Amino acid sequence: MIAIRKVQTRKDQKAFLDFPLKLYKGNPYFVPPLYIDEKKIFRPDYYYNKTSESIFFLAEKDGKVVGRISGILQKAANAKWNQKRVRFTRFDAIDDVDVAAALFKAVEDWAKEKGMEEVVGPLGYSDMEREGLLIEGFDELSTFEEQYSYPYYQKLIESQGYQKEVDWVERKIFAPEEIDPRIERIVPVIMKREKLRLLHFENINQVIDNYADQFFDLVDSTYDDLYGTVPFIPEQRKDLIQGFRLLLSPYYIRLIVDQNDKLAAFGLCFPSISKAVQKSGGHLTLPTLFKILKAKKDPEIIDLGLIGVTEKYRNSGVSWAIFLEIMKMLKSGKVQYCETNLNLEDNKAIQNNWERFHNKLHKRRRSFVKKI
């Protein structure tokens, strides 16, 4: 007998957060999120509650937790895209269709109560959260930014009537044996013609104190028309900045500004901390903090976070200044490769750019949708 219960008590909350850690224990590819960040989803003052409603469910079988799922009514997204949707997220379960059926029914029933017409996911509160179900690349280390899942998850989700809506692909980008001299020649010409300059920083506080607001504004405008995106809210910006202070290294940030010191383009990479947080289950223990600091100083892998260019410069070729900097990063230190994280498969602009690199398409993720 499978029992579904709504998460209400602190004990329930802990069970909800701990379940994937137990399910993936010993898996060499799973990377947990930071536990302290995940706990925020249960806080009454969680900033996403300003634009969203959430519900959390646990599945039990023979008195043991065997699955979990969360539903999100993202009102800002529904208003932006003129949709009536609930997002499902944080779905984890044993390989049991009946467990999946019970969990998804709970979310779908809640969505109907809210007057919604579709359930879609895996999607978080925003595209800054983990999203998409891994459907290819199960023998690859997950990035810290994205969620690993067992191969049987796709079967469980599709068994409940969910179908593909979009796919994202991920690539490994490797250092070129030699940087194309044509790129090295043309980038200075573009920068001079457009009267732009590349900034370098000694510490992360210089970046945040001087350019954080411009950065978030440019992210909003660059990604505005991409699948599922919602604008930043002030509290989210503040929270992300705290994460940046912990995880970002100034060497892996590239900002390009105009004559008036206004941000024209950026490239943001993160030293990979996947291996650093695996053993602790995402808890920030002293050994974990030491590993994170070590990874920041001399990473073997870097994760591509975001690239953005203002509308004024999108056809100027200035993006190649960012790609040139990524090539230089890949040839520095002991970096083995860069993980692109999620790129929509039909985003031909970015896909064509990666083809100019030595790359390997190694992961695919999917967002599913079901009419209810």
Side-chain angles (χ1 to χ4, degrees), residues 96-321:
D96 188 318
V97 171
D98 291 336
V99 171
L103 286 167
F104 278 99
K105 183 179 185 302
V107 169
E108 291 164 14
D109 287 347
W110 181 71
K112 291 174 184 176
E113 290 174 9
K114 296 295 179 179
M116 298 297 105
E117 299 173 349
E118 296 176 312
V119 175
V120 62
L123 292 174
Y125 293 94
S126 76
D127 58 315
M128 300 302 288
E129 285 207 316
R130 297 179 172 196
E131 58 186 357
L133 181 79
L134 186 69
I135 60 171
E136 294 177 12
F138 300 105
D139 57 351
E140 298 281 352
L141 178 67
S142 184
T143 62
F144 173 71
E145 295 81 14
E146 301 303 335
Q147 182 72 11
Y148 182 82
S149 59
Y150 286 125
Y152 65 80
Y153 275 37
Q154 182 178 358
K155 173 195 70 177
L156 294 182
I157 292 172
E158 290 178 343
S159 73
Q160 303 312 305
Y162 288 81
Q163 299 179 334
K164 171 185 174 179
E165 182 161 61
V166 300
D167 274 10
W168 296 269
V169 294
E170 302 176 52
R171 299 175 188 264
K172 287 181 180 178
I173 306 297
F174 300 93
E177 292 185 9
E178 292 184 9
I179 295 176
D180 190 333
R182 293 173 297 179
I183 299 174
E184 292 188 294
R185 285 197 302 269
I186 196 172
V187 165
V189 173
I190 294 170
M191 296 289 282
K192 183 177 180 180
R193 182 190 70 209
E194 303 296 337
K195 299 179 181 178
L196 302 172
R197 57 194 174 93
L198 180 69
L199 301 182
H200 297 275
F201 301 93
E202 294 182 0
N203 63 71
I204 190 62
N205 291 330
Q206 291 177 323
V207 184
I208 291 172
D209 294 343
N210 293 293
Y211 295 100
D213 287 337
Q214 292 189 55
F215 166 79
F216 287 117
D217 289 343
L218 183 48
V219 172
D220 269 342
S221 64
T222 300
Y223 294 85
D224 180 61
D225 60 349
L226 294 186
Y227 176 80
T229 55
V230 290
F232 289 109
I233 58 175
E235 295 85 355
Q236 182 188 8
R237 293 186 180 202
K238 183 178 179 180
D239 189 62
L240 287 170
I241 285 172
Q242 295 307 312
F244 287 171
R245 292 187 194 276
L246 172 65
L247 302 176
L248 277 176
S249 169
Y251 177 76
Y252 297 101
I253 301 170
R254 296 293 188 271
L255 302 184
I256 295 175
V257 296
D258 65 15
Q259 297 179 92
N260 300 312
D261 205 37
K262 298 298 183 182
L263 195 59
F266 69 84
L268 185 68
C269 293
F270 295 87
S272 174
I273 64 167
S274 293
K275 295 180 180 179
V277 301
Q278 275 186 314
K279 289 186 177 180
S280 72
H283 293 278
L284 287 178
T285 62
L286 283 177
T288 300
L289 286 170
F290 176 78
K291 291 175 183 177
I292 290 174
L293 293 174
K294 184 179 179 181
K296 285 176 60 176
K297 184 177 181 181
D298 196 12
E300 296 179 357
I301 305 167
I302 55 176
D303 296 343
L304 180 62
L306 298 163
I307 294 175
V309 181
T310 60
E311 186 175 0
K312 178 179 178 180
Y313 296 106
R314 281 176 196 164
N315 296 317
S316 69
V318 70
S319 60
W320 274 106

